[in-house]
Amino acid sequence: MAWSKHNTRLAFVGAGVVGGSLAAALSRAGYSVVASASRSFASAVELARWADGCVAYETPQQAADAADFVFLTTPDDAIPLVAASMTWRAGQGVAHCSGAASLDALDAAAAQGAVPGAFHPLQAVSSIENGSKSIRGITFGIEGGENMRAFLSTMAADLGAYPIFVRSEDKPLYHLTGVMMGGLLTTLGAATATLWEELGYTREEGIRALMPMMRQVSVNLSSSGLPGAVAGPYARGDVGTVRKHLEALSERAPHVLPLYCELALVGLPFSVEKGTLSEDRAEEIRVLVERYMRGTAD
Ligand SMILES: NC(=O)c1ccc[n+]([C@@H]2O[C@H](COP(=O)([O-])OP(=O)(O)OC[C@H]3O[C@@H](n4cnc5c(N)ncnc54)[C@H](OP(=O)(O)O)[C@@H]3O)[C@@H](O)[C@H]2O)c1
């Protein structure tokens, strides 16, 4: 029997922020989330609070036995260990939510006849409350055989999200795009906000000053796309302004200089593509930036 929203009982093993967020969102979307389990019973109880009719169990095995389809939402490293510690029924579905791990993390379950899948929410999730509200409009990276893909892509659509299929060999590249846009963009925000301490302000004041810009950049990228969203002194070809930036960073925040230079160089082709920066001016900027990167500026 093919899994569907109407005939499939779901369980979550690993009651953290992603498990809880998905359980809450799926329950709201009309799916039957019937069971939860975790390392600690308290976490299983907390997840169950977010899904109507969900029962918290003491062990992963009890939760899996109550369900047709099990999400293993533990940390990545625990997925193969938990899968191997359990007894699976032939035809039972089992999916993890890791963006970096592939289906082989579920080999032990598949060896017993369970059907493996991956359902990765391309989103930064830090709490069940916020996470369950942040799923609409996101993309889910899905792996699995034909039935698994059909079920999980319908599930993504039922959550108001976009399903995409990712090949196993592409998983690390796929995942790092999310890490760059999430964790590493946060690092960029942290590095730039902390520069405000050099101006005599706190980094919290820096965050308040810079975040409207971060929000607008995401609006511009979504609405204008590439290269339309590219703007600023690089897109204008303002070499003098770029030189002032490089001098200021060299003198006052040399630890940020390599980050600034790398981003500047990666961005140049998009400004050329937009047509606002000539090839010659782009080359002039590239040479200047590389001199500062190598520490050979005058
Ligand atoms: N957070 C994100 O932004 C994000 C985004 C996309 C995908 N993911 C993926 O989602 C998965 C879960 O991540 P998360 O952020 O939700 O982590 P998390 O909040 O740390 O939750 C993981 C949960 O797994 C439980 N657990 C740990 N070891 C276990 C074991 N051996 N048996 C059963 N339960 C165990 C923990 O238990 P207790 O609370 O009971 O101690 C914890 O509640 C990971 O594969 C991660 O890569 C995360």
Side-chain angles (χ1 to χ4, degrees):
M1 182 173 65
W3 302 296
S4 85
K5 174 174 169 173
H6 304 291
N7 68 10
T8 304
R9 297 165 301 163
L10 305 176
F12 282 83
V13 170
V17 292
V18 165
S21 299
L22 275 181
L26 285 167
S27 177
R28 278 202 300 267
Y31 283 79
S32 300
V33 178
V34 299
S36 68
S38 201
R39 194 171 39 188
S40 73
F41 186 58
S43 296
V45 169
E46 171 61 15
L47 184 147
R49 231 173 41 77
W50 289 87
D52 277 351
C54 181
V55 175
Y57 289 89
E58 295 278 358
T59 68
Q61 190 64 58
Q62 289 170 319
D65 288 347
D68 309 299
F69 194 105
V70 180
F71 283 102
L72 286 188
T73 42
T74 65
D76 292 359
D77 289 348
I79 295 166
L81 306 175
V82 175
S85 73
M86 293 164 64
T87 301
W88 298 91
R89 302 193 300 279
Q92 191 171 23
V94 54
H96 66 66
C97 290
S98 169
S102 193
L103 291 188
D104 55 8
L106 301 171
D107 276 354
Q112 295 178 44
V115 183
F119 191 58
H120 172 250
L122 193 54
Q123 179 60 293
V125 183
S126 60
S127 72
I128 298 178
E129 168 108 44
N130 290 338
S132 62
K133 292 183 204 146
S134 70
I135 290 175
R136 182 162 292 277
I138 73 168
T139 289
F140 278 89
I142 292 169
E143 274 187 280
E146 200 177 326
N147 289 347
M148 181 62 74
R149 284 174 172 224
F151 180 53
L152 293 179
S153 51
T154 302
M155 181 178 277
D158 287 339
L159 292 171
Y162 299 99
I164 60 150
F165 302 123
V166 187
R167 291 175 302 202
S168 292
E169 62 271 30
D170 291 336
K171 249 352 223 313
L173 190 59
Y174 157 81
H175 185 238
L176 73 83
T177 65
V179 170
M180 286 183 79
M181 192 47 75
L184 298 187
L185 185 60
T186 305
T187 306
L188 183 62
T192 51
T194 304
L195 284 180
W196 274 58
E197 291 175 347
E198 279 287 313
L199 307 178
Y201 292 92
T202 65
R203 62 188 188 184
E204 286 69 31
E205 287 168 319
I207 289 172
R208 191 183 61 205
L210 294 165
M211 284 316 104
M213 191 167 263
M214 195 190 256
R215 278 194 288 275
Q216 190 56 39
V217 162
S218 82
V219 170
N220 294 349
L221 271 167
S222 298
S223 60
S224 306
L226 282 173
V230 175
Y234 289 90
R236 291 193 302 269
D238 270 340
V239 185
T241 301
V242 171
R243 183 177 287 107
K244 284 180 190 165
H245 292 174
L246 295 166
E247 284 168 0
L249 283 173
S250 300
E251 283 169 26
R252 303 185 63 180
H255 62 290
V256 179
L257 184 65
L259 175 63
Y260 181 97
C261 291
E262 289 290 357
L263 289 173
L265 292 177
V266 172
L268 283 176
F270 297 107
S271 294
V272 173
E273 186 185 340
K274 190 173 182 183
T276 57
L277 180 69
S278 69
E279 295 273 4
D280 288 352
R281 188 56 67 91
E283 180 60 14
E284 191 182 342
I285 293 176
R286 189 183 61 73
V287 169
L288 176 67
V289 170
E290 284 183 346
R291 280 206 342 255
Y292 276 84
M293 275 176 100
R294 287 195 304 267
T296 56
D298 305 332

